Amino acid sequence: AVMYLDFKVKIPSDSAGVTRKKIKGVTYVYYVYEHNYSPEKGYTVPKSTSIGKCADDDAEMMYPNTNFLKFFPAEELPETKGEAYRSGCLRVGTYLVLHRIVSEYHLDEMLGDIIGKDSGLFLDLAAYSIITENNAGQYYPDYAFNHPLFTDGMRIYSDSKVSDFINSITRDQSLAFLDRWNAKQDHRQKIYISYDSTNKNCQAGDIDFVEYGHPKEDISAPVINYSVAYDRSNETPLYYEDYPGSIVDISQLQYTLEKADGYGYKNVGFILDRGYFSKENIHYMDKCGYEFVIMMKGMKKLVKSLVLEVKGTFEEDRRYSIRDYKVSGITVKRQLYPSDEKERYFHIFYNDRKKSSEHEAIETKIDRMAECLHKHEGTRYEIKGGGFARYFDLIYYNKGKPDEKFMYGRERHEVINEEIRLCGYFVIITSEKMTAAQALDLYKGRDASEKLFRGDKSYLGNKSFRVHTSESVHAKIFIEFVALIIRSRFYTCLKEQMQKGGKKNYMTVPAAIRELEKIELIRQSDRGYRIDYAVTAAQKEILKAFHMTAVNVRIQAAAINEDLMKIEKEG
C-alpha cells in the first residue's frame, strides 16, 4: 500500500545498495536497508524494499514512493509540485480583492522591477500574512494549496524554496521599494510616525542587530524596535525603520525625524507608546515643533487625579459615547509638567468591559498573594519583593530579633480600593487640539501596525521558517510592511463603505476576509474550475467597498480558470 508521488527524482547510485527488478514490464527500484546473518544458511541475507519505479522516458530517473522519503530524507525533491498538489476547491474571494489593491497601487510593477522574477512569491507571502492573520498554525504550503497565487504560473513552491527566497531579499531592495513608494506620496500631508518595539522571535543564532533591550514581558528576550510612519489623512503606511533593541528614546526619535525629512515630509507628529514617555522626549518634540499622541498606561499621579476628577460625569452620557470602539471619552486641558508652559489635551476614556476584566484581575492577584502569605504564617520567613508590601501591611513577631517570625498580612484596603476605582479607564495625551474620538482613531491606527508586525503570528513563527540571519529578519519585516500597505487600504475601503451603507458586523477586516474566503472555485469533472455558489448579499456589500461586483468576480474567476487550464496543459 505504498503511494507513488507525482514527480521524478534521480535514481540513487547502485553503490547505495540500490537494485532494479522488472515485474510485468515495469522496472521497480529496490533498496537494501539491512543485512542479517542467517546461521542456517551460513551467510548474510539482505532485506530490501521498493522505493520507486523507473520512468519510461529516462533510465536515470524514477517516480519515488513514500519509502523513498523515509530512506533518503536528505534527497533534493523538485521545487515545484505537480497539479495534483492543488486543491479541487480554491478560495478566490479575498485574493481577487487583494489583487485589485495591488494593481491600484502598482505594487506588482514596483516589486517586479526591484525583486525580479520571484516578485509574485513576495506578494503571495504578503497575502498569506493578511489572510491567515490569526492562524499561526497554518503554514505557507497549506495556503498555496487552496488559494490562487500571484506567483508566475501559480507555481506552488516547497518550504525550502520559500525560505531560500526570504534569505535572498536584500536590505537594498527594501530601501529601493521605500524610495519608490514614498516618491508617489503627497509630501504636504501631515504624517504621524508610530513607534513600537517588539520582541521578535529571535531565538536564531546570529541575528546581529537584535540586542537585549528593555522588553515588555520576557527579560532575557532580545528586542527589535521599529517605527512605522503613517500619512494621517489617508491612513497609508509610508515607511518603517528597525533598530537594535537597546536604542531607546531621543537618539532614535532624532534619527527617525531625519528619515522623514529625507523622504521630503515636513509636517510630522508622533504616536508613542508608554515606553517613550519621558520629559526629555516631550521637550525635544516641543522644541522641534512636532505634535504627539501618547498612550498613558499605568496611572501616574497626575493622570490618577484627572480620572478621579471627571469620574462619573461622562461614562453614561450618550454625548460622550464613541460607538466605533464601544467606549466613552471626554477631553480636558491641563499642563503635563508643573514647569510646562504649554497646555496639553488629556483624553480620558472609559470602557465597561475593560473595567470588569481589570477588576477581576486585581481581585485574583490579591487572592493569590493572600494565599501565599497565609502559607508562611508563623514561619521564620521574610517576605521580600513581589509587591506584597504595596497591598499588605506585613506583621512580624519580634522583628529584627533572632526569633523573628512572620505573623500575617493585613490587606491595605485604601490602596486596593483606589486601584479598583481606576479600573476601565485609560488616557491618551495629545499636543494638538482634537476630540477624544480623533485621538483614539489615531492611536488605533497604530494598533493595526502592531498586529501585523507581531512576529509570532505570521509565516515567520512556524516550524519551516526559523529565521537564521539578520537578512531574513529584515526581509520578513519588509514583507510584513507591504502586507500592511495592502491591509490598510483594505481597512480604509471597508470603513468608507460603512460610512455610506451603515454599520455591519461583517465589515471589519477579519470578518470581511472570512466572508470573502467563502467564495470558492470548485474543480468540475472536465478539470475546469467554476464558481460554486451565487455571491451572497454580505459578500456583495463587501465587494462594493472595492468597487467590485458579482460580475467582476465571475469574469476574474473565469480568467483564473483559463490560467490554470493553460498551466495544466503546459505542465
Side-chain angles (χ1 to χ4, degrees):
V2 282
M3 193 177 92
Y4 286 95
L5 306 173
D6 69 340
F7 50 80
K8 293 185 259 194
V9 294
K10 219 172 147 49
I11 298 174
S13 70
D14 296 347
S15 62
V18 168
T19 57
R20 291 172 176 74
K21 196 189 283 181
K22 200 166 191 164
I23 303 172
K24 292 188 182 161
V26 179
T27 307
Y28 292 91
V29 180
Y30 282 81
Y31 170 65
V32 175
Y33 59 94
E34 61 180 50
H35 294 270
N36 293 327
Y37 178 75
S38 158
E40 294 92 83
K41 296 184 178 162
Y43 55 84
T44 53
V45 179
K47 271 186 130 171
S48 66
T49 181
S50 90
I51 53 168
K53 53 187 176 192
C54 289
D56 306 335
D57 50 358
D58 186 343
E60 298 286 288
M61 303 296 277
M62 67 170 190
Y63 289 101
N65 62 23
T66 40
N67 287 338
F68 174 81
L69 301 179
K70 197 158 73 195
F71 294 115
F72 295 91
E75 280 305 303
E76 274 300 294
L77 299 179
E79 294 203 321
T80 59
K81 298 174 178 170
E83 67 74 35
Y85 278 80
R86 180 168 280 119
S87 169
C89 162
L90 295 182
R91 299 174 190 167
V92 295
T94 319
Y95 167 83
L96 294 176
V97 169
L98 298 183
H99 198 286
R100 173 123 193 173
I101 294 172
V102 164
S103 311
E104 173 195 357
Y105 277 158
H106 303 287
L107 291 171
D108 43 355
E109 293 164 22
M110 280 190 223
L111 290 164
D113 293 347
I114 293 164
I115 286 171
K117 67 175 177 26
D118 279 331
S119 60
L121 178 54
F122 185 103
L123 283 168
D124 282 329
L125 290 170
Y128 165 72
S129 138
I130 296 168
I131 291 177
T132 58
E133 186 173 324
N134 301 320
N135 316 349
Q138 226 175 356
Y139 59 118
Y140 179 73
D142 275 1
Y143 166 82
F145 177 70
N146 56 25
H147 286 85
L149 301 173
F150 287 97
T151 305
D152 201 24
M154 293 207 195
R155 305 244 287 280
I156 294 179
Y157 286 115
S158 64
D159 284 6
S160 58
K161 160 74 184 178
V162 175
S163 88
D164 290 346
F165 168 66
I166 290 177
N167 279 311
S168 73
I169 297 172
T170 65
R171 232 16 229 279
D172 287 347
Q173 286 171 325
S174 64
L175 293 173
F177 174 79
L178 291 176
D179 285 342
R180 280 191 59 173
W181 177 243
N182 283 283
K184 292 173 41 164
Q185 310 299 330
D186 171 0
H187 294 90
R188 295 178 308 260
Q189 277 298 353
K190 169 72 158 262
I191 69 167
Y192 264 95
I193 296 171
S194 126
Y195 259 103
D196 199 14
S197 56
T198 177
N199 311 359
K200 280 282 184 206
N201 44 353
C202 296
Q203 70 283 51
D206 54 348
I207 296 182
D208 53 17
F209 77 111
V210 171
E211 292 178 25
Y212 291 83
H214 314 279
K216 300 185 180 106
E217 299 87 27
D218 176 1
I219 299 311
S220 61
V223 187
I224 298 170
N225 291 321
Y226 56 80
S227 60
V228 178
Y230 276 94
D231 154 348
R232 154 96 182 262
S233 59
N234 300 318
E235 298 176 1
T236 315
L238 300 172
Y239 62 87
Y240 65 93
E241 267 300 339
D242 40 31
Y243 328 81
S246 54
I247 302 178
V248 147
D249 285 354
I250 299 233
S251 52
Q252 195 169 305
L253 277 177
Q254 292 170 346
Y255 180 66
T256 302
L257 288 166
E258 280 161 28
K259 190 89 179 190
D261 205 44
Y263 284 126
Y265 300 109
K266 298 286 179 255
N267 195 354
V268 178
F270 285 95
I271 301 175
L272 301 175
D273 201 359
R274 57 183 172 206
Y276 298 92
F277 185 90
S278 70
K279 209 166 175 166
E280 300 80 48
N281 270 357
I282 285 173
H283 285 158
Y284 175 73
M285 289 186 286
D286 272 350
K287 194 178 82 208
C288 304
Y290 297 120
E291 305 291 358
F292 59 81
V293 175
I294 293 183
M295 169 69 92
M296 290 291 289
K297 300 257 178 63
M299 293 290 181
K300 300 258 187 322
K301 227 193 195 132
L302 164 70
V303 170
K304 249 187 224 174
S305 64
L306 269 179
V307 169
L308 295 172
E309 197 179 303
V310 297
K311 190 177 161 92
T313 62
F314 73 99
E315 299 88 338
E316 293 172 7
D317 185 333
R318 271 302 276 188
R319 286 173 303 180
Y320 298 107
S321 165
I322 303 170
R323 294 302 297 147
D324 278 355
Y325 299 109
K326 297 193 172 54
V327 302
S328 309
I330 191 171
T331 303
V332 290
K333 274 174 79 171
R334 281 288 184 286
Q335 286 181 328
L336 185 51
Y337 296 108
S339 59
D340 216 353
E341 47 306 337
K342 285 196 172 158
E343 299 240 284
R344 315 291 184 179
Y345 296 85
F346 286 78
H347 309 276
I348 297 138
F349 300 93
Y350 170 76
N351 174 338
D352 256 338
R353 283 215 311 279
K354 192 169 152 68
K355 177 186 175 130
S356 50
S357 67
E358 286 175 0
H359 187 160
E360 189 46 45
I362 291 174
E363 300 278 4
T364 313
K365 175 171 72 176
I366 303 292
D367 289 347
R368 267 209 319 269
M369 288 176 144
E371 201 180 321
C372 180
L373 291 175
H374 187 58
K375 281 200 190 102
H376 295 297
E377 284 174 7
T379 66
R380 308 192 44 161
Y381 186 80
E382 197 186 340
I383 311 289
K384 279 205 187 78
F388 287 101
R390 176 174 155 73
Y391 299 104
F392 293 89
D393 291 320
L394 303 171
I395 313 296
Y396 288 89
Y397 168 77
N398 282 346
K399 180 101 176 123
K401 303 219 171 84
D403 59 345
E404 165 184 316
K405 279 199 181 100
F406 169 66
M407 298 294 287
Y408 63 93
R410 185 170 52 215
E411 275 188 22
R412 304 181 60 188
H413 291 148
E414 67 294 346
V415 175
I416 297 167
N417 288 344
E418 181 177 58
E419 232 173 78
I420 290 172
R421 279 212 303 280
L422 294 167
C423 285
Y425 292 89
F426 60 99
V427 176
I428 293 175
I429 305 170
T430 62
S431 54
E432 201 182 350
K433 182 177 180 166
M434 59 179 81
T435 64
Q438 288 166 328
L440 193 55
D441 251 341
L442 268 177
Y443 193 80
K444 286 293 188 186
R446 170 186 179 289
D447 275 0
S449 70
E450 228 184 38
K451 274 198 200 64
L452 209 70
F453 271 95
R454 273 287 132 84
D456 51 4
K457 69 126 212 28
S458 59
Y459 45 92
L460 315 157
N462 76 54
K463 58 182 182 189
S464 46
F465 294 98
R466 283 289 171 241
V467 169
H468 284 301
T469 61
S470 16
E471 278 319 302
S472 54
V473 172
H474 293 304
K476 202 166 121 165
I477 294 178
F478 174 21
I479 294 168
E480 290 286 8
F481 182 72
V482 172
L484 182 61
I485 289 176
I486 300 169
R487 191 182 187 280
S488 298
R489 180 70 187 138
F490 195 100
Y491 167 76
T492 312
C493 290
L494 287 173
K495 200 166 91 174
E496 286 166 2
Q497 181 58 26
M498 261 194 326
Q499 284 158 358
K500 285 186 243 157
K503 267 201 111 65
K504 308 267 193 323
N505 51 6
Y506 50 76
M507 296 294 271
T508 64
V509 176
I513 288 174
R514 274 200 306 275
E515 277 302 314
L516 291 169
E517 285 289 271
K518 295 176 193 162
I519 300 178
E520 291 173 335
L521 286 182
I522 302 290
R523 188 191 283 140
Q524 321 268 279
S525 52
D526 64 356
R527 312 296 293 152
Y529 281 90
R530 313 232 180 351
I531 286 265
D532 196 24
Y533 298 108
V535 175
T536 66
Q539 290 161 350
K540 280 183 184 150
E541 173 92 7
I542 294 167
L543 289 167
K544 207 160 151 189
F546 307 99
H547 306 293
M548 290 168 72
T549 62
V551 177
N552 292 128
V553 170
R554 275 204 301 280
I555 293 169
Q556 285 172 279
I560 290 176
N561 176 47
E562 254 167 67
D563 288 349
L564 288 170
M565 298 297 270
K566 203 164 83 203
I567 293 159
E568 207 166 305
K569 268 201 196 72
E570 289 163 6

